[in-house]
Amino acid sequence: MSIREQSGTRRVAVLVAMEGIEQVELTGPWKALEEAGWEPVLVAPETGEVQAFDHLDAADTFPVDTTIADASPEDFAGLVLPGGVANPDALRLDAAAVGFVREAVAADRPVAAICHAIWMLVEADVLRGRRVTSWPSLQTDVRNAGGTRVDEEVVRDGRLVTSRKPDDLPAFNAALLDLLADG
């Protein structure tokens, strides 16, 4: 049992914008976390509900558990960043959200990002010297942020797990759970 598990911190922040989240990249990791005994917590810029999408089509809404202003990476054992093009593009304009990601990485919390969510890692300036994967169109962003992008299903670099797309969710979820289990 890890130190965080011993201290009772089994909560994992799932940080999203108010809309544009790729639904399967939210619900897939959420379900995997719950099934493994973790407590996912939906963190967003505002109270209310977030709007998920199935690619470009509006899908389901999900209730926000807490706002970024009322949360701290210290409150969580880890952080999940779902993708969707609009989700991280909007979220990276939110200084508090960017700061949350930066603090989570600096505190050595497990962080998992999929698809376009890698933009949050770029914006938080935490990719220097790191090896990651992402949606192919982000390769220049990753390179400009000092990281190395590879085309692999899932990449683990220290306390960071990244994947390219929804098809990678089984490997992403397994790597996320392994990362959390490592404490």
Side-chain angles (χ1 to χ4, degrees), residues 49 81 102 113 124 129 146 163 165:
E49 293 186 330
L81 299 168
R102 189 178 297 119
S163 282
K165 57 188 175 182

Side-chain angles (χ1 to χ4, degrees), residues 5 9 30 32 39 45-46 62 77 94 101 108 119 169:
E5 289 175 47
T9 305
W30 190 282
E39 179 189 348
E46 302 169 19
F62 298 89
D94 184 313
V101 172
D108 205 30
W119 268 334
L169 277 167

Side-chain angles (χ1 to χ4, degrees), residues 4 72-79 99-111 126 130 159 183:
R4 288 189 185 96
S72 167
E74 294 175 0
D75 301 333
F76 303 97
L79 171 62
F100 192 98
V101 172
R102 189 178 297 119
E103 288 175 37
V105 173
D108 205 30
R109 293 286 193 264
V111 176
V126 297
R130 292 188 179 262
R159 309 283 283 159

Side-chain angles (χ1 to χ4, degrees), residues 20 67 153 181:
T67 64
E153 184 177 52

Side-chain angles (χ1 to χ4, degrees), residues 5-146:
E5 289 175 47
Q6 290 172 6
S7 68
T9 305
R10 299 221 17 113
R11 295 166 20 114
V12 176
V14 181
L15 181 62
V16 298
M18 297 309 294
E19 65 179 355
I21 307 111
E22 185 68 35
Q23 183 158 316
V24 69
E25 293 175 5
L26 170 63
T27 59
W30 190 282
K31 181 179 178 187
L33 287 166
E34 285 183 328
E35 288 177 352
W38 294 92
E39 179 189 348
V41 177
L42 194 60
V43 181
E46 302 169 19
T47 59
E49 293 186 330
V50 297
Q51 177 67 61
F53 281 74
D54 181 10
H55 191 53
L56 298 176
D57 299 321
D60 297 322
T61 59
F62 298 89
V64 172
D65 294 314
T66 190
T67 64
I68 297 165
D70 292 333
S72 167
E74 294 175 0
D75 301 333
F76 303 97
L79 171 62
V80 175
L81 299 168
V85 177
N87 172 48
D89 192 50
L91 203 55
R92 68 185 180 160
L93 295 175
D94 184 313
V98 174
F100 192 98
V101 172
R102 189 178 297 119
E103 288 175 37
V105 173
D108 205 30
R109 293 286 193 264
V111 176
I114 188 166
C115 201
H116 286 82
I118 280 64
W119 268 334
M120 288 301 294
L121 303 173
V122 168
E123 196 65 34
D125 194 22
V126 297
L127 289 183
R128 293 187 196 293
R130 292 188 179 262
R131 185 174 174 270
V132 298
T133 192
S134 69
W135 186 254
S137 65
L138 277 65
Q139 62 188 332
T140 301
D141 300 301
V142 170
R143 185 174 52 252
N144 289 341

